[in-house]
C-alpha cells in the first residue's frame, strides 16, 4: 500500500505504536511541567555566570533530553498520522466539538514541535527571545493539554462513546 493510499484509509482505531507514543509523550509532558522551575533555576544561574545547584542541573539536563525526545516522537506521530491515518470521530458527535477537538490536536502538535526548538535555541544558543517564547508557550500548552484531557473524559463519562478507549486499546 502506498503512503498516499494509506493516508486515505481511515483506520478503526490507533495502532500499538500510536498509543505508546501518545502515552510516552504524555508522561514526558508531565515531567516537563513538574521540572520547569528547576530548568529556570539552572538556566538563570548559567546565564548569570554562576554554577547551578546539582539537582537543578540534573533536572535541567533531563528537561532538555525529554524535550528532544518529545520533538522526535511528535515528528514520528505526525508521520504516522499521514501514513497510517487516524480514526474518524465517533458517529453522532457534535460538529462544533469535533472542530474544537481538531483545533486542540493541531495546537498540541504545533506546540510539541515548536517548544523543543525554542527551548533548544534558548539552552544551547543562549537566545533570550527563544527562552521568552518558550516560557510563554507553556501558558498555551497547559490549557490545551487540560482541554484535551477534559474532552477525553467527557467522551468517556458524559457521551459514553468509544473515543477514549481507542487510545487505550490498539486496532
Amino acid at each position: 500500500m502506498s503512503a498516499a493510499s494509506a493516508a486515505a484509509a481511515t483506520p478503526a482505531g490507533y495502532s500499538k505504536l500510536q498509543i505508546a507514543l501518545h502515552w510516552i509523550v504524555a508522561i514526558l509532558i508531565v515531567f516537563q511541567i513538574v521540572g520547569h522551575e528547576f530548568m529556570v533555576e539552572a538556566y538563570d544561574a548559567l546565564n548569570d555566570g554562576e554554577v547551578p545547584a546539582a539537582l537543578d542541573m540534573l533536572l535541567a539536563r533531563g528537561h532538555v533530553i525529554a524535550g528532544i525526545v518529545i520533538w522526535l516522537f511528535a515528528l514520528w506521530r505526525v508521520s504516522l498520522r499521514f501514513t497510517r491515518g487516524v480514526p474518524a470521530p465517533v458517529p453522532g458527535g457534535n460538529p462544533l466539538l469535533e472542530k474544537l477537538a481538531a483545533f486542540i490536536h493541531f495546537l498540541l502538535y504545533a506546540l510539541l514541535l515548536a517548544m523543543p526548538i525554542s527551548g533548544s535555541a534558548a539552552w544551547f544558543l543562549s537566545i533570550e527571545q527563544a527562552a521568552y517564547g518558550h516560557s510563554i508557550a507553556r501558558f498555551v500548552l497547559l490549557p490545551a493539554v487540560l482541554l484535551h484531557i477534559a474532552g477525553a473524559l467527557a467522551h468517556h463519562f458524559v457521551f459514553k462513546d468509544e473515543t477514549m478507549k481507542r487510545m487505550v486499546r490498539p486496532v
Side-chain angles (χ1 to χ4, degrees):
M1 179 184 294
S2 73
S5 62
T10 303
Y14 294 99
S15 69
K16 285 181 185 179
L17 179 58
Q18 287 171 306
I19 292 170
L21 290 171
H22 173 273
W23 290 111
I24 292 168
V25 168
I27 291 165
L28 289 172
I29 289 171
V30 170
F31 172 78
Q32 297 297 70
I33 291 168
V34 170
H36 174 262
E37 289 306 314
F38 294 100
M39 173 52 119
V40 170
E41 292 296 322
Y43 182 81
D44 288 345
L46 289 170
N47 281 344
D48 292 341
E50 301 169 1
V51 176
L55 180 61
D56 291 344
M57 198 61 200
L58 176 67
L59 291 173
R61 287 186 176 130
H63 188 91
V64 170
I65 292 166
I68 292 167
V69 171
I70 288 170
W71 185 77
L72 291 170
F73 282 11
L75 280 176
W76 197 357
R77 289 185 66 194
V78 168
S79 73
L80 286 170
R81 286 182 76 88
F82 284 113
T83 57
R84 185 185 188 277
V86 295
V90 294
N94 181 315
L96 184 59
L97 291 178
E98 289 174 9
K99 287 184 185 340
L100 177 61
F103 172 74
I104 293 298
H105 280 104
F106 172 81
L107 182 60
L108 286 170
Y109 278 110
L111 290 166
L112 294 179
L113 292 169
M115 289 185 75
I117 293 170
S118 63
S120 293
W123 183 256
F124 294 113
L125 304 174
S126 299
I127 300 174
E128 200 63 36
Q129 297 86 347
Y132 180 73
H134 185 78
S135 185
I136 294 300
R138 71 189 166 105
F139 294 112
V140 178
L141 178 65
L142 189 55
V145 166
L146 293 175
L147 278 171
H148 181 67
I149 293 168
L153 293 173
H155 275 284
H156 189 71
F157 293 110
V158 177
F159 307 132
K160 298 187 186 314
D161 62 31
E162 299 293 311
T163 299
M164 193 167 107
K165 290 178 184 172
R166 295 187 303 191
M167 195 44 79
V168 177
R169 192 177 336 122
V171 174

